Short mmCIF file of all heavy atoms in Angstrom, two decimals:
data_model
loop_
_atom_site.label_atom_id
_atom_site.label_comp_id
_atom_site.label_asym_id
_atom_site.label_seq_id
_atom_site.Cartn_x
_atom_site.Cartn_y
_atom_site.Cartn_z
N ILE A 27 112.35 81.38 126.13
CA ILE A 27 113.45 80.46 125.80
C ILE A 27 112.86 79.38 124.98
O ILE A 27 112.06 78.57 125.46
CB ILE A 27 114.12 79.88 127.07
CG1 ILE A 27 114.64 81.02 127.97
CG2 ILE A 27 115.20 78.93 126.71
CD1 ILE A 27 115.13 80.56 129.31
N GLU A 108 125.13 72.57 121.82
CA GLU A 108 125.68 73.78 122.42
C GLU A 108 124.55 74.78 122.71
O GLU A 108 124.56 75.42 123.75
CB GLU A 108 126.70 74.37 121.47
CG GLU A 108 127.43 75.59 122.01
CD GLU A 108 128.43 76.15 121.01
OE1 GLU A 108 129.00 75.38 120.24
OE2 GLU A 108 128.66 77.37 121.11
N THR A 109 123.63 74.88 121.76
CA THR A 109 122.50 75.82 121.88
C THR A 109 121.63 75.39 123.09
O THR A 109 121.22 76.24 123.92
CB THR A 109 121.66 75.83 120.62
OG1 THR A 109 122.50 76.05 119.50
CG2 THR A 109 120.63 76.95 120.71
N ARG A 110 121.40 74.12 123.19
CA ARG A 110 120.61 73.59 124.34
C ARG A 110 121.26 73.96 125.67
O ARG A 110 120.64 74.39 126.59
CB ARG A 110 120.48 72.09 124.23
CG ARG A 110 119.59 71.58 123.15
CD ARG A 110 119.61 70.03 123.09
NE ARG A 110 119.07 69.56 121.87
CZ ARG A 110 117.77 69.39 121.62
NH1 ARG A 110 116.91 69.70 122.53
NH2 ARG A 110 117.36 68.96 120.46
N LYS A 111 122.61 73.76 125.74
CA LYS A 111 123.32 74.04 126.96
C LYS A 111 123.22 75.53 127.30
O LYS A 111 123.08 75.93 128.47
CB LYS A 111 124.79 73.59 126.89
CG LYS A 111 124.89 72.06 126.99
CD LYS A 111 126.28 71.59 126.89
CE LYS A 111 126.31 70.05 127.00
NZ LYS A 111 127.63 69.53 126.75
N ASN A 112 123.33 76.39 126.25
CA ASN A 112 123.22 77.82 126.47
C ASN A 112 121.80 78.21 126.95
O ASN A 112 121.67 79.05 127.85
CB ASN A 112 123.52 78.60 125.19
CG ASN A 112 125.01 78.67 124.91
OD1 ASN A 112 125.82 78.46 125.79
ND2 ASN A 112 125.34 78.89 123.67
N PHE A 113 120.78 77.54 126.38
CA PHE A 113 119.41 77.83 126.81
C PHE A 113 119.21 77.35 128.24
O PHE A 113 118.49 77.99 129.04
CB PHE A 113 118.38 77.14 125.89
CG PHE A 113 118.18 77.92 124.62
CD1 PHE A 113 117.82 77.23 123.43
CD2 PHE A 113 118.34 79.26 124.54
CE1 PHE A 113 117.60 77.92 122.27
CE2 PHE A 113 118.17 79.97 123.33
CZ PHE A 113 117.79 79.30 122.19
N ILE A 114 119.79 76.20 128.61
CA ILE A 114 119.71 75.74 129.98
C ILE A 114 120.40 76.71 130.96
O ILE A 114 119.86 77.00 132.04
CB ILE A 114 120.28 74.28 130.13
CG1 ILE A 114 119.30 73.29 129.45
CG2 ILE A 114 120.52 73.94 131.57
CD1 ILE A 114 119.79 71.88 129.40
N ARG A 115 121.56 77.19 130.55
CA ARG A 115 122.27 78.19 131.37
C ARG A 115 121.37 79.42 131.58
O ARG A 115 121.30 79.97 132.66
CB ARG A 115 123.58 78.54 130.66
CG ARG A 115 124.59 79.22 131.56
CD ARG A 115 125.94 79.40 130.95
NE ARG A 115 126.57 78.17 130.52
CZ ARG A 115 126.87 77.84 129.26
NH1 ARG A 115 126.65 78.69 128.29
NH2 ARG A 115 127.43 76.70 128.96
N GLN A 116 120.72 79.83 130.49
CA GLN A 116 119.86 80.99 130.54
C GLN A 116 118.65 80.72 131.46
O GLN A 116 118.26 81.56 132.28
CB GLN A 116 119.37 81.33 129.13
CG GLN A 116 118.52 82.59 129.06
CD GLN A 116 118.05 82.86 127.62
OE1 GLN A 116 118.48 82.23 126.67
NE2 GLN A 116 117.13 83.78 127.49
N ALA A 117 118.10 79.54 131.38
CA ALA A 117 116.94 79.19 132.25
C ALA A 117 117.35 79.14 133.70
O ALA A 117 116.63 79.60 134.58
CB ALA A 117 116.39 77.79 131.80
N ARG A 118 118.55 78.60 133.95
CA ARG A 118 119.04 78.59 135.36
C ARG A 118 119.26 79.99 135.90
O ARG A 118 118.99 80.27 137.04
CB ARG A 118 120.35 77.79 135.45
CG ARG A 118 120.12 76.31 135.28
CD ARG A 118 121.40 75.52 135.36
NE ARG A 118 121.12 74.08 135.21
CZ ARG A 118 121.99 73.20 134.87
NH1 ARG A 118 123.23 73.55 134.61
NH2 ARG A 118 121.67 71.90 134.79
N GLY A 119 119.73 80.89 135.02
CA GLY A 119 119.86 82.27 135.41
C GLY A 119 118.55 82.92 135.74
O GLY A 119 118.40 83.68 136.78
N GLU A 120 117.52 82.66 134.94
CA GLU A 120 116.18 83.20 135.21
C GLU A 120 115.63 82.63 136.54
O GLU A 120 115.01 83.36 137.28
CB GLU A 120 115.23 82.85 134.03
CG GLU A 120 115.57 83.43 132.70
CD GLU A 120 115.36 84.91 132.64
OE1 GLU A 120 114.75 85.51 133.55
OE2 GLU A 120 115.82 85.54 131.67
N ALA A 121 115.86 81.35 136.75
CA ALA A 121 115.40 80.69 137.99
C ALA A 121 116.08 81.32 139.21
O ALA A 121 115.42 81.60 140.25
CB ALA A 121 115.61 79.21 137.95
N LEU A 175 112.04 74.93 136.88
CA LEU A 175 113.36 74.86 136.18
C LEU A 175 113.62 73.43 135.71
O LEU A 175 114.05 73.20 134.56
CB LEU A 175 114.44 75.32 137.13
CG LEU A 175 115.90 75.18 136.61
CD1 LEU A 175 116.09 76.03 135.35
CD2 LEU A 175 116.90 75.52 137.69
N GLU A 179 114.29 72.38 131.87
CA GLU A 179 115.52 71.70 131.49
C GLU A 179 115.15 70.37 130.77
O GLU A 179 115.77 70.07 129.73
CB GLU A 179 116.37 71.38 132.72
CG GLU A 179 117.15 72.60 133.23
CD GLU A 179 118.01 72.26 134.41
OE1 GLU A 179 117.99 71.14 134.93
OE2 GLU A 179 118.76 73.14 134.80
N LEU A 182 113.98 71.29 127.34
CA LEU A 182 115.09 71.68 126.46
C LEU A 182 115.96 70.47 125.98
O LEU A 182 116.52 70.52 124.92
CB LEU A 182 116.00 72.71 127.15
CG LEU A 182 115.44 74.13 127.24
CD1 LEU A 182 116.23 74.94 128.25
CD2 LEU A 182 115.44 74.76 125.86
#
Side-chain angles (χ1 to χ4, degrees):
I27 301 173
E108 184 180 332
T109 311
R110 288 175 197 278
K111 287 181 181 173
N112 286 338
F113 283 152
I114 287 175
R115 197 174 301 119
Q116 184 181 350
R118 287 180 180 159
E120 296 289 350
L175 176 62
E179 283 182 352
L182 283 167

